[in-house]
Amino acid sequence: MHELSLCHAIAGVVKPHAAGRHVDVVRVQVGALRQVVPETLSFCWTLVREHEDMADAELELELVAARVRCRGCGEQSEIESRWSVACPKCQNPDVEVVAGEEFLVTSVDVSP
Ligand SMILES: [Zn+2]
């Protein structure tokens, strides 16, 4: 499962950051183009956090909409479909993705 390996990756970032302190909240930005199912990611996190010795660390997801800049008409727009990346204005597939590919830990709350 894709989400499970992502959760292991999150834990791999969080653990050295926490350096033995208690982890309260982990915030993760997830772009729409990452094809991550938020519910599945949250579920996998409950498995991984047990295993990684931070059993009550909450995972907060910030979902980022996909945006593209069209090389044809120059418009920048949000795209609805995660399956076809093309300009919604002129259907040009020659676009530059400007947002939606994020997958990163933005902050971690720890307590002693
Ligand atoms: Zn266009």
Side-chain angles (χ1 to χ4, degrees):
M1 208 185 308
H2 175 56
E3 281 81 358
L4 195 56
S5 56
L6 289 174
C7 284
H8 281 294
I10 295 169
V13 170
V14 170
K15 280 188 87 166
H17 179 83
R21 290 168 295 178
H22 181 267
V23 179
D24 299 316
V25 184
V26 179
R27 291 182 193 84
V28 175
Q29 234 177 32
V30 183
L33 297 173
R34 296 304 296 248
Q35 302 181 3
V36 166
V37 181
E39 292 76 19
T40 311
L41 192 70
S42 298
F43 173 71
C44 290
W45 178 249
T46 64
L47 306 178
V48 169
R49 67 182 180 183
E50 294 281 343
H51 184 73
E52 297 286 354
D53 204 24
M54 39 186 173
D56 57 359
E58 289 298 324
L59 185 68
E60 276 186 21
L61 299 178
E62 185 198 335
L63 304 175
V64 181
R67 293 185 66 79
V68 295
R69 187 185 296 118
C70 178
R71 292 194 179 95
C73 69
E75 281 293 322
Q76 198 181 117
S77 26
E78 219 165 88
I79 53 173
E80 300 291 329
S81 167
R82 65 171 83 171
W83 310 114
S84 85
V85 179
C87 174
K89 301 276 188 307
C90 69
Q91 312 308 322
N92 190 337
D94 187 15
V95 294
E96 178 194 348
V97 175
V98 294
E101 286 180 330
E102 295 79 359
F103 190 85
L104 58 126
V105 176
T106 53
S107 69
V108 180
D109 289 358
V110 295
S111 53

